[in-house]
Each structure stands twice: as structure tokens, then as C-alpha cells.
Amino acid sequence: MALVTMNHLLDDARNRKYAVGGFNVFNLETLCAVVEVAEELKTPLVLGITERFFKFVDVETLSAAMVRAAQKSSVPIALHLDHGHTYEGIIKAIRWGFTSVMFDGSALPVSENLKQTREVTRIAHSLGVSVEGELGYVGCCEHVDDINEDNIVTCDVAANFVDKTKIDALAVSVGNKHGAYRGMTKLNITRLGQLSTVVSVPLVMHGGSKLSSDDYSNSIKCGISKINIPIDTSMAASEKLKNELRDNPGANYIFLMSAVKKGVKESVSKYMFHFNCISKAI
């Protein structure tokens, strides 16, 4: 097992009805925590970082650590640029060794999204890199009422988009939201099943944090092959750090790093069981 492309992972997930976890990391502690869980549970893994984080961390250095972690891993790992919005960011990720990139043109008119995604795919495929696109509007949990039927992607638009762009995976909006859910979710599982029948590539769910067990199970049954957990590694780390400092204000930083890693591992493990991906890397 080693560093692989994302379509290598998602094709198997689609065939065997499980979801690969897409976990974003932001430092060595979160990177090591996520990889260790994947190895302990024998799960495939997508390690990601979003383009907007480039201004907060030394991504070039972190990327080198991500590449090394994947290369020596006992499970297959894809390195993924999550929510890439610029050609510059996407080219940087490819140069750093990422095996998958996402071009998020979902805020653009569909025709412009299609045009730009197709160009990203042309470039990435020439270099052996997988591409994820996105259609529809995946809102934020802070905006409770920002999802309606007009934001949910339709089957004809999705099928045409995949056919014209030649992407390897498609992130779709079916009522899902970025961030930690508050209250009840309103996933359109019927639409998701319809999309799965007309789209020729694996489907991706963004905003996968803290859904119900039934939501995960039903989404996977209806074609979701990757579920992104972009924020919970950060939330689990900060919560663990807060609790440790409350209980032990004099704790040294080395101890705190170990505690943070443990908290992230606990969070990631819970999601892996929901995704039905345990032992799928054997």
C-alpha cells in the first residue's frame, strides 16, 4: 500500500458500497492521528487540505510530510486538495505531490463551472492526477435556512457536467451543509439515488460532520463513495486542548500535543465505523 490516486480508492468504494473518509489535516499532530487510525482499522484514506488554509500554515512543508506518510503507510492513501478555487493553488498542490485535486466552481454559473473544471481536468489528467468537481450549493451550518430545492443539483445537469468535464468524482448538493450540524438534517436521499443512476463517476458528500447513522448508511447505499470531514479534526483538537488546560493548567506543550493527537484519533475512529470502511484496505 502507498500513495495512490483518489479514483483508485473511490472506484472500489463504489463497487463495494462503503465510503472513504476524506479528512483534512493542518499540522503534524492531526496528520499522524488520521493516518494511525486508518492503519489500525485497515481503511483506505483521503488526506486533504483546503486551498484557503494556505495562508495559515506552511503547506509546502506539511505537504512533504503528507507525501512521506502516505508513501510509507500500510494502507492506500490519496492526497487531495480540497476546495481548490484557483489554477495557481491547484498547480501548487500537484507540484507538491498531491494525487487528487478538487476544483470548486460551484459558486459560478454552471456553464463557467463546466468550462473551468474541464480545463483543470485536462491539465491534471495529463499529469496522472485525479479531479473532483462540485455542483449545486453546499451551505454552511451557521446559515440554517440557506438550503432549498433550487440549490439541489438536478440529474440532467449532473450527467452533462460529468460527461463534458471528464472528472473522476462529483461532489453534489442534496441538502448537506459544511460544518457541524445543528438540529435535524434534511438530506434529499431520493435525489441522491437518482443522481447515482445517471452519473458515471463516484459521488462525494461535503459537509459530512455529525450526520446521523441512518444518514451515513442511506447516503452510501445511494451512491456516496467519499464523505468529507473537513472541520472535525480541528474541532476535536481544540476541544481536547481546552479540556486538558482546564484540568491541568500547568501542562507542558509536549503533553498537550499527545492529548490533541488522542482526541483527533477518537473522533476519526467514530467516523470510520459509520462509513463501513473498516478492513476494506486488506
Side-chain angles (χ1 to χ4, degrees):
M1 304 296 180
L3 181 60
V4 299
T5 59
M6 191 173 68
N7 59 339
H8 174 86
L9 300 183
L10 300 197
D11 286 344
D12 185 68
R14 191 185 198 194
N15 291 335
R16 293 204 280 166
K17 294 297 182 183
Y18 66 91
V20 178
F23 293 90
N24 285 359
V25 298
F26 50 90
N27 60 13
L28 290 178
E29 288 76 51
T30 51
L31 168 61
C32 293
V34 174
V35 172
E36 284 183 15
V37 171
E39 292 186 318
E40 289 164 5
L41 300 180
K42 306 299 182 187
T43 68
L45 176 65
V46 174
L47 278 175
I49 188 166
T50 64
E51 186 177 349
R52 69 186 180 90
F53 278 3
F54 286 11
K55 61 184 177 181
F56 299 114
V57 299
D58 180 355
V59 185
E60 186 169 4
T61 299
L62 179 57
S63 296
M66 293 168 70
V67 169
R68 178 60 179 155
Q71 288 174 336
K72 68 177 186 177
S73 175
S74 61
V75 298
I77 297 178
L79 301 187
H80 181 63
L81 176 66
D82 191 26
H83 291 288
H85 292 281
T86 68
Y87 289 125
E88 179 184 12
I90 287 168
I91 294 302
K92 282 182 177 180
I94 293 173
R95 286 176 175 167
W96 291 333
F98 282 52
T99 58
S100 173
V101 295
M102 176 190 186
F103 177 71
D104 181 1
S106 58
L108 302 171
V110 173
S111 59
E112 185 62 22
N113 185 6
L114 191 155
K115 177 183 176 182
Q116 293 193 34
T117 303
R118 180 169 56 197
E119 178 62 10
V120 168
T121 305
R122 183 188 68 80
I123 295 168
H125 279 183
S126 72
L127 299 169
V129 173
S130 302
V131 178
E132 176 184 329
E134 182 169 330
L135 277 175
Y137 174 67
V138 180
C140 296
C141 291
E142 289 81 2
H143 306 112
V144 178
D145 298 321
D146 62 355
I147 297 290
N148 57 55
E149 190 63 28
D150 292 335
N151 303 134
I152 295 177
V153 63
T154 60
C155 292
D156 55 341
V157 170
N160 180 66
F161 188 85
V162 170
D163 179 60
K164 295 291 177 56
T165 60
K166 309 303 180 186
I167 54 176
D168 303 288
L170 177 67
V172 293
S173 62
V174 288
N176 41 315
K177 294 186 179 184
H178 291 295
Y181 280 92
R182 302 186 184 114
M184 299 296 292
T185 62
K186 298 179 181 180
L187 295 182
N188 190 330
I189 296 297
T190 300
R191 177 64 56 81
L192 184 57
Q194 293 168 346
L195 288 167
S196 181
T197 63
V198 301
V199 171
S200 60
V201 298
L203 299 178
V204 175
M205 175 174 286
H206 285 252
S209 299
K210 294 182 173 61
L211 297 174
S212 70
S213 295
D214 285 344
D215 282 332
Y216 291 123
S217 177
N218 291 333
S219 297
I220 292 168
K221 288 177 182 176
C222 289
I224 291 295
S225 300
K226 177 167 77 85
I227 300 176
N228 279 31
I229 306 295
I231 195 170
D232 263 31
T233 48
S234 175
M235 296 299 292
S238 61
E239 187 67 20
K240 191 69 172 178
L241 187 60
K242 180 175 67 176
N243 291 341
E244 291 295 335
L245 286 172
R246 179 196 63 206
D247 297 338
N248 186 8
N252 65 56
Y253 188 61
I254 294 174
F255 171 81
L256 292 174
M257 286 192 296
S258 297
V260 164
K261 183 178 174 182
K262 180 180 178 183
V264 172
K265 288 185 69 172
E266 290 170 352
S267 174
V268 172
S269 295
K270 292 176 184 178
Y271 284 114
M272 293 300 201
F273 280 96
H274 281 307
F275 298 167
N276 192 36
C277 59
I278 307 302
S279 297
K280 294 299 193 295
I282 296 177

